[in-house]
Amino acid sequence: MQYIKNYINGELVEPVSKKYLDNVDPSRGKVYSYIPDSDEQDVELAIAAANAAFPAWSITPKDVRSKYLLKIADLIEKNLDKLALAESIDNGKPLKLAKTVDIPRAAANFHFYGTGILHYAAYTHSMEDTAINYTLRQPVGVAGCISPWNLPLYLFTWKIAPAIAAGCTVVAKPSEVTPMTAYLLSELCVEAGLPKGVLNIVHGLGGKVGNAIVSSKNVPLISFTGGTKTGAHIASIAAPMFKKLSLELGGKNPNIIFADCDYDKMMATTLHSSFSNQGQICLCGSRIFVERSIYEKFKKDFVEQTKKLVVGAPLEEKTRIGAVVSQPHMEKVLSYVELAKQEGGTVLCGGKRANVGGEFSEGYYIEPTIIEGLPYNCRTNQEEIFGPVVTIMPFNKEEEVLMWANSTIYGLASTVWTQDLTKAHRVAQNIHAGIVWINCWLLRDLRTPFGGVKSSGVGREGGFEAFDFFTEPKNVCIKIN
Ligand code: NDP
């Protein structure tokens, strides 16, 4: 069986302790490789390598840094099939999704930031004939990048690419649950000839490796994507050390459907926004609010279409719903279905573990689930479930649905379906979320700021704001008279 390695100082190395953790294929419920159970010693080595590489990397000309990023983007594209297969096995997601979304977007991250850095400019401010101010943007230093399991390579590269483009060096930790594509990325970085120490990847547990990165006085910046609880813990360590911090956290996103929407487009997209990646995308719409006049039709059609989504082995072409990422996660998601029933909800379809048979009979599959009859403020409608489980509710008035939509502690993303332009803009303005999609979902222009409000996070990544985050502004004021 394969042993994954850490990537430290340009080399693929074993963990100092020589200890490993099981890496489980969730589609079969079986161990299929081993991941370093790294600890503080490995993190120290990675930080030392990143620190040593920083002075040279931070003054490496932008166009040279850019070339490395573009080379890595190119290698990801060339290895699309291999990476997609690895991600599908590691994560349980349908191969098709990995091939068409996750891996191409990982390449796009390197391509976007590799070219974006060439156009990133700083400001000057003239004080007429007295002085000129100019703002230097200098890379912060060693960036700690920690990412989750749901879109493993995509979210990992979303942090790493702007960091190294901006001139930071990086110590990164992928989720211990889905380490394989990060490992393959480290092989590609070796192939690309990325100078040693610029990117270091330490595998292992959040409580050990993640914690050591966050706690280190030699890592002045943390970019974290993951759960809100973990984010709060990280902030409690990082804030007293005055680290720069970006937290991309959980969500409980509303999908608001008005009666005047383009019904067929809405239905097709709502199936995606509800169940893509088994509902394990932070941007999935898990609370679906439907204007009462079309509610019964919507309910009938949505249930009918959802029942047609094939739950199956991730590598099968016809599979639309693969395995959820782990047994504990499956149990957590199913416990929410039980909670929903206790809270008075009716399960319209799904609600159970699915057995897809054969060698996959031990895999962690959940039927796509639709629940109705719950009030907006019950736990099922307030807490993040992060699985293929959605609730549907009829609404009468715009003010009412806005209140429901904004009622959670989260504010990551939202979707609005209407053909009425004025209403669309008005509702978008009044939703408390970092992103509002109107008549679409998951469309991303990488130039736009990305992130949530309230407990969905602080700071923004994306576009040039990512370069702002990974650099420090320094104002220089020159007296000219
Ligand atoms: P977690 O918060 O459990 O973990 C995220 C990462 O943090 C993992 O690499 C984890 O390691 C690590 N970690 C855990 N504990 C610590 C610690 N004490 N110190 C430092 N690092 C630690 O999230 P999940 O992996 O379960 O991901 C799902 C969550 O991510 C959902 O809430 C989802 O909404 C959110 N998310 C948010 C996105 C956004 O852009 N806002 C995008 C995608 C997901 P380990 O795996 O070893 O536990």
Side-chain angles (χ1 to χ4, degrees):
M1 245 189 279
Q2 188 176 5
Y3 283 76
I4 284 173
K5 290 191 172 133
N6 288 331
Y7 174 49
I8 297 177
N9 206 24
E11 290 186 8
L12 300 171
V13 293
E14 283 200 274
V16 175
S17 69
K18 306 268 191 290
K19 286 189 192 149
Y20 287 83
L21 301 161
D22 291 343
N23 188 25
V24 175
D25 166 357
S27 73
R28 293 178 173 80
K30 297 220 161 37
V31 176
Y32 86 103
S33 61
Y34 297 105
I35 160 177
D37 182 10
S38 310
D39 58 28
E40 293 74 11
Q41 303 176 80
D42 305 282
V43 173
E44 282 303 316
L45 290 173
I47 293 173
N51 248 325
F54 180 71
W57 184 250
S58 63
I59 55 163
T60 296
K62 286 185 179 63
D63 58 332
V64 177
R65 295 204 300 258
S66 166
K67 280 188 184 128
Y68 283 113
L69 272 95
L70 296 181
K71 173 93 181 144
I72 296 168
D74 190 40
L75 286 170
I76 292 174
E77 275 163 8
K78 286 197 172 115
N79 287 277
L80 174 85
D81 290 341
K82 183 177 172 185
L83 287 161
L85 183 64
E87 177 143 323
S88 177
I89 294 170
D90 226 19
N91 177 274
K93 71 180 58 190
L95 178 61
K96 193 174 172 196
L97 187 68
K99 241 182 194 171
T100 54
V101 178
D102 298 59
I103 307 304
R105 286 193 180 197
N109 286 339
F110 275 100
H111 194 266
F112 176 80
Y113 286 111
T115 50
I117 194 63
L118 300 174
H119 308 280
Y120 180 54
Y123 294 105
T124 62
H125 296 94
S126 161
M127 298 168 79
E128 289 73 43
D129 64 348
T130 312
I132 302 166
N133 294 270
Y134 65 86
T135 307
L136 282 175
R137 300 271 354 173
Q138 293 172 307
V140 175
V142 177
C145 298
I146 301 175
S147 60
W149 48 258
N150 62 327
L151 305 165
L153 191 63
Y154 175 33
L155 292 176
F156 196 57
T157 54
W158 174 243
K159 303 177 171 312
I160 291 168
I164 63 177
C168 288
T169 53
V170 171
V171 175
K173 188 197 102 59
S175 170
E176 153 254 334
V177 186
T178 53
M180 191 57 88
T181 45
Y183 173 59
L184 296 176
L185 175 71
S186 58
E187 289 187 337
L188 298 182
C189 290
V190 173
E191 192 177 338
L194 188 68
K196 64 182 189 176
V198 169
L199 171 63
N200 304 273
I201 300 175
V202 187
H203 295 273
L205 297 168
K208 270 204 266 186
V209 174
N211 219 55
I213 295 171
V214 175
S215 308
S216 171
K217 62 179 182 351
N218 293 317
V219 179
L221 174 153
I222 301 292
S223 168
F224 170 81
T225 301
T228 293
K229 221 167 139 194
T230 318
H233 174 71
I234 287 173
S236 75
I237 299 172
M241 299 168 87
F242 306 106
K243 295 191 182 211
K244 271 190 115 173
L245 198 54
S246 161
L247 300 171
E248 303 288 354
L249 308 176
K252 187 75 179 174
N253 309 310
N255 178 1
I256 302 175
I257 299 167
F258 287 98
D260 61 1
C261 67
D262 180 326
Y263 188 84
D264 293 342
K265 280 192 188 145
M266 175 280 296
M267 182 56 67
T269 306
T270 294
L271 285 163
H272 286 299
S273 66
S274 304
F275 301 120
S276 279
N277 205 32
Q278 298 71 249
Q280 302 167 129
I281 299 179
C282 53
L283 307 166
C284 277
S286 53
R287 296 176 295 148
I288 305 176
F289 302 119
V290 186
E291 197 162 4
R292 191 172 293 278
S293 59
I294 60 162
Y295 181 77
E296 288 305 323
K297 175 175 167 50
F298 172 85
K299 176 169 124 181
K300 181 173 161 293
D301 294 344
F302 188 46
V303 170
E304 203 175 285
Q305 300 281 325
T306 298
K307 283 182 176 164
K308 286 189 194 151
L309 297 173
V310 177
V311 182
L315 306 191
E316 294 273 340
E317 179 67 24
K318 63 179 189 309
T319 294
R320 290 294 166 271
I321 310 279
V324 298
V325 78
S326 67
Q327 183 164 358
H329 190 61
M330 175 181 70
E331 285 162 4
K332 180 195 142 186
V333 173
L334 290 173
S335 77
Y336 270 101
V337 178
E338 289 313 307
L339 174 71
K341 288 184 202 160
Q342 285 162 24
E343 290 185 315
T346 303
V347 176
L348 299 175
C349 65
K352 295 191 296 297
R353 182 175 183 173
N355 186 344
V356 307
E359 59 179 307
F360 302 99
S361 56
E362 301 291 309
Y364 314 130
Y365 299 89
I366 299 177
E367 297 166 347
T369 303
I370 304 171
I371 301 169
E372 77 162 352
L374 288 168
Y376 78 91
N377 55 356
C378 67
R379 278 184 59 203
T380 309
N381 270 329
Q382 293 288 314
E383 296 176 16
E384 186 181 44
I385 300 174
F386 215 54
V389 176
V390 297
T391 60
I392 59 173
M393 283 174 75
F395 70 87
N396 296 311
K397 291 210 161 81
E398 194 180 306
E399 304 76 52
E400 172 185 54
V401 77
L402 277 169
M403 192 273 278
W404 295 351
N406 292 334
S407 67
T408 73
I409 60 166
Y410 299 107
L412 185 54
S414 55
T415 311
V416 179
W417 289 93
T418 177
Q419 296 285 72
D420 178 336
L421 192 62
T422 309
K423 181 160 64 185
H425 287 299
R426 186 174 60 239
V427 171
Q429 182 160 311
N430 288 312
I431 292 180
H432 303 157
I435 308 165
V436 183
W437 277 295
I438 297 170
N439 300 331
C440 60
W441 177 71
L442 210 61
L443 263 182
R444 284 281 296 126
D445 181 328
L446 296 183
R447 292 168 299 180
T448 59
F450 178 85
V453 298
K454 302 196 282 182
S455 297
S456 289
V458 291
R460 286 290 180 278
E461 294 182 20
F464 285 179
E465 303 199 19
F467 295 138
D468 287 348
F469 176 63
F470 287 107
T471 58
E472 210 91 77
K474 181 192 287 173
N475 187 56
V476 180
C477 178
I478 317 162
K479 187 96 168 52
I480 54 173
N481 272 309

